[in-house]
Amino acid sequence: MTKDELEKILWSIALPGFPQLLDGKIAKGILFIGLEILINVQSNFNTAIMLSFQGKMEEAAQLTNYQWLMFYPCLYFFAMWDAYRDAIGEKRPFMYIPFAFSAYLVTVGVMYSTTFRIKNVLLGPIWLPMICAPIGLGVGFMLMKVTKRFIRSEDQK
């Protein structure tokens, strides 16, 4: 990973839209930031984060507006993929797969965050989706490799 790619990913983790602004893609950056703020406010996401870090998972789960929070993973990972794609110049085929699969799995984590427990501990709307993110990326990278091999074998026929 190059310095530019890492910078874009880290800024995108901080706030979707920042890397696009850095690249001079002002409209796209403002759109991502605006959507992030809208979803964040409507879902009570920041309060849920604060409560989760304080160990108040039940309260965070009750406060969260899941109809809005369900949009967050797809926006977040799409903005991150877009920044990464701009940084690498679309050189890597199927690189969207880890980002897309992680968005799917984090969304599933959001859906189960009110009921999923480990040793009777509710992980809530922050921790369960966060645990799902690296799993989604890992599975996505494996699927990307399989897809590349499958496409190469099909091309050789």
Side-chain angles (χ1 to χ4, degrees):
M1 182 175 284
T2 69
K3 186 175 129 185
D4 189 46
E5 293 167 357
L6 180 60
E7 178 184 13
K8 299 278 174 68
I9 290 292
L10 291 177
W11 277 117
S12 194
I13 289 169
L15 187 70
F18 277 1
Q20 289 78 6
L21 292 178
L22 288 171
D23 277 347
K25 297 176 179 174
I26 305 302
K28 189 190 293 187
I30 290 171
L31 176 66
F32 285 149
I33 291 170
L35 287 171
E36 197 280 338
I37 291 170
L38 175 68
I39 294 168
N40 190 307
V41 169
Q42 293 296 320
S43 68
N44 300 315
F45 194 45
N46 281 349
T47 306
I49 292 170
M50 184 181 70
L51 291 169
S52 294
F53 272 82
Q54 294 172 348
K56 300 174 183 176
M57 307 314 175
E58 299 280 349
E59 194 176 338
Q62 290 173 357
L63 179 79
T64 300
N65 182 331
Y66 289 91
Q67 294 300 316
W68 278 96
L69 189 59
M70 295 283 290
F71 290 107
Y72 197 80
C74 290
L75 171 68
Y76 192 78
F77 282 98
F78 179 80
M80 195 180 305
W81 167 76
D82 183 72
Y84 183 77
R85 183 190 61 178
D86 286 347
I88 65 170
E90 296 190 51
K91 294 176 232 166
R92 297 185 186 135
F94 305 110
M95 194 59 209
Y96 63 89
I97 293 174
F99 292 95
F101 199 81
S102 196
Y104 301 147
L105 202 56
V106 171
T107 301
V108 170
V110 168
M111 288 189 278
Y112 284 97
S113 66
T114 60
T115 57
F116 186 83
R117 295 174 183 270
I118 295 178
K119 294 190 177 190
N120 209 27
V121 174
L122 182 70
L123 296 177
I126 304 305
W127 298 115
L128 182 59
M130 283 177 66
I131 290 169
C132 291
I135 296 167
L137 286 169
V139 172
F141 277 112
M142 287 189 297
L143 287 172
M144 183 180 73
K145 287 182 181 186
V146 168
T147 302
K148 283 181 183 179
R149 286 187 183 148
F150 178 76
I151 296 297
R152 270 191 237 128
S153 69
E154 288 293 315
D155 288 344
Q156 292 173 353
K157 289 182 181 179

